Amino acid sequence: MANIDRDYRERLLSTLDQSPTSSPSKSPCDGSGYIFKSPNPSRENYYDRDQTVEPPKAEALTQKSALQNELLGESITEVPDPQTMERGGPLAVISPSKSNMLKFQSSPQRLDPHAPYAVSPISKSSKQLLLSPRRVTRKIAKTPFKVLDAPELQDDFYLNLLDWSSHNVLSVGLGSAVYLWSAFTCQVSKLCDLQEESDSVTSVSWSDKHLLAVGTQTGLVQIWDVAAEKKLRTMSGHSSRVGALAWNWDTLCSGSRDHTIAQWDHRMPDAPTRTLKAHTQEVCGLRWSTDHQLLASGGNDNKLYVWNQSAPEPALCYTDHTAAVKAIAWSPHQHGILASGGERAEPDHPLLEHLHQPASSVDGHRLTSVQTGVVQEHE
């Protein structure tokens, strides 16, 4: 009898496993594309991509668990995590119930002492299972949904050649030109080309408006109105290339290989409103805080400085890094928390990235340091 029960259970579970699953919708930005060519406009809408919906596997697991409760007398009240099931976790195998399936009597699990007159055909476990809140799993793709060819993209650690605007437009500096790719339409357009000026692009940065700042190899900073496809002005205040840019409303800061940070008001482009001097090598990272009051700068001198709006001298200086500091980010959730990432050259591991979290500018102490991994250079 036990063998028959086991065989029947295995056949039933195998039948439940054969549930149809829906295939994901295609995106117009799937596959590869070229930065110089627009994708096929006849494809489907960009918004068909699914970001945070419950995958079909979770719904199938809910139905399977409910059927197991009703047909096999199980007491499953919680849906297993689909990702745990795929990895062969502890919930991948559910132990069979010890109840005899061929007994001609009501299962005590189906009786609810708190509702003696309930007429629901499903058991208490299935009710709890179906009424429990569903886990909304965000599926992170392991492959890119869009690949853009980027010829002449400079392989230089100190440059910032990519920036994504709040209007969902990606700007890319390729050689002497700046290209724009719209994530809404997947259209690619060429904004400007500095070849006639014998110059090249070394940094790009979007403002909250439709303005794009472009830093050049010769130390110029250009402001472009992208909506009108027109250059508004050119600002000259550096003697070497501009590798870092950061907007703060109408204020733009530019960091250069000449070791200085120039602060501009793009409405008065004749000269910088102030020049910050503390770094002894190239400035390769700039970021304003979320409250627009503090500016963090990182350089090839392994220093991380924090500046306020008024003083010409840095308010804080961090010397925890052992090589260039380029990755800088302010926390949008807690005031005054700053994360910085640097590199370190070693004989066995050419690049070793690590992360620091300095505290607020009131006390300025470092909260923690996290080694984020070793990146090996490839020949």
Side-chain angles (χ1 to χ4, degrees):
M1 184 68 67
N3 292 334
I4 296 176
D5 293 349
R6 190 179 302 110
D7 294 340
Y8 177 75
R9 186 178 191 280
E10 290 178 357
R11 290 199 305 270
L12 183 60
L13 291 178
S14 64
T15 304
L16 296 178
D17 287 335
Q18 297 175 359
S19 58
T21 56
S22 59
S23 59
S25 57
K26 261 196 171 183
S27 164
C29 300
D30 287 341
S32 61
Y34 297 91
I35 195 74
F36 298 115
K37 298 181 180 179
S38 301
N40 190 350
S42 63
R43 297 183 184 178
E44 300 172 297
N45 197 315
Y46 172 77
Y47 290 105
D48 289 340
R49 287 191 299 116
D50 202 357
Q51 292 286 344
T52 57
V53 299
E54 184 179 4
K57 289 184 179 181
E59 187 67 29
L61 283 173
T62 304
Q63 297 176 5
K64 178 181 176 181
S65 301
L67 288 173
Q68 285 183 248
N69 288 342
E70 302 305 311
L71 299 178
L72 300 177
E74 305 283 352
S75 298
I76 305 174
T77 58
E78 187 175 347
V79 181
D81 187 2
Q83 296 181 357
T84 306
M85 301 279 288
E86 289 178 357
R87 294 191 297 265
L91 297 178
V93 179
I94 301 175
S95 59
S97 173
K98 296 181 180 180
S99 61
N100 192 345
M101 292 177 51
L102 300 182
K103 283 185 178 180
F104 295 95
Q105 62 181 15
S106 299
S107 173
Q109 297 175 357
R110 303 177 71 86
L111 299 179
D112 189 352
H114 302 287
Y117 302 104
V119 294
S120 175
I122 64 175
S123 64
K124 180 183 177 181
S125 299
S126 296
K127 284 183 183 179
Q128 185 175 349
L129 176 70
L130 297 174
L131 294 176
S132 61
R134 308 290 177 85
R135 288 193 182 97
V136 180
T137 305
R138 181 167 185 176
K139 200 168 185 180
I140 300 177
K142 297 180 180 179
T143 57
F145 77 94
K146 180 68 176 178
V147 177
L148 298 173
D149 284 348
E152 299 184 44
L153 182 65
Q154 299 186 59
D155 184 12
D156 194 322
F157 174 80
Y158 302 101
L159 305 185
N160 293 272
L161 300 172
L162 290 171
D163 196 30
W164 208 307
S165 75
S166 58
H167 301 282
N168 216 1
V169 178
L170 176 68
S171 60
V172 186
L174 299 178
S176 60
V178 175
Y179 289 87
L180 306 177
W181 178 77
S182 172
F184 288 116
T185 62
C186 291
Q187 297 291 325
V188 179
S189 60
K190 186 176 182 180
L191 178 65
C192 63
D193 197 334
L194 309 181
Q195 188 173 5
E196 296 181 357
E197 305 171 17
S198 301
D199 209 344
S200 61
V201 179
T202 53
S203 56
V204 291
S205 179
W206 288 95
S207 71
D208 293 333
K209 303 175 183 178
H210 286 280
L211 300 181
L212 179 67
V214 180
T216 72
Q217 182 72 29
T218 58
L220 301 178
V221 178
Q222 299 181 357
I223 308 296
W224 285 80
D225 185 341
V226 176
E229 298 183 357
K230 177 183 178 182
K231 182 171 69 172
L232 300 180
R233 56 190 57 86
T234 300
M235 301 179 293
S236 58
H238 293 289
S239 59
S240 188
R241 70 179 186 184
V242 177
L245 296 166
W247 285 92
N248 186 23
W249 302 118
D250 292 319
T251 299
L252 174 66
C253 286
S254 57
S256 173
R257 185 184 267 180
D258 63 9
H259 314 166
T260 65
I261 302 171
Q263 183 170 315
W264 311 82
D265 187 332
H266 75 91
R267 297 164 297 183
M268 300 179 294
D270 296 336
T273 56
R274 67 171 180 164
T275 301
L276 307 177
K277 298 181 180 180
H279 290 282
T280 57
Q281 293 193 37
E282 181 172 7
V283 180
C284 52
L286 289 174
R287 186 64 61 93
W288 280 96
S289 61
T290 53
D291 60 358
H292 308 280
Q293 299 300 314
L294 299 174
L295 173 68
S297 65
N300 196 32
D301 54 1
N302 315 341
K303 300 291 193 345
L304 174 66
Y305 290 104
V306 178
W307 313 76
N308 58 33
Q309 291 273 28
S310 56
E313 300 296 328
L316 291 171
C317 175
Y318 299 100
T319 58
D320 304 289
H321 292 282
T322 58
V325 183
K326 181 182 178 183
I328 304 172
W330 291 90
S331 171
H333 307 288
Q334 186 173 350
H335 174 74
I337 300 297
L338 173 64
S340 61
E343 61 167 344
R344 180 164 54 122
E346 291 185 346
D348 298 331
H349 306 296
L351 269 175
L352 179 64
E353 295 183 350
H354 54 94
L355 183 69
H356 294 273
Q357 280 189 313
S360 68
S361 59
V362 177
D363 46 24
H365 71 275
R366 178 165 56 91
L367 293 179
T368 185
S369 177
V370 181
Q371 180 174 312
T372 59
V374 177
V375 179
Q376 196 81 26
E377 288 185 344
H378 299 281
E379 295 182 356

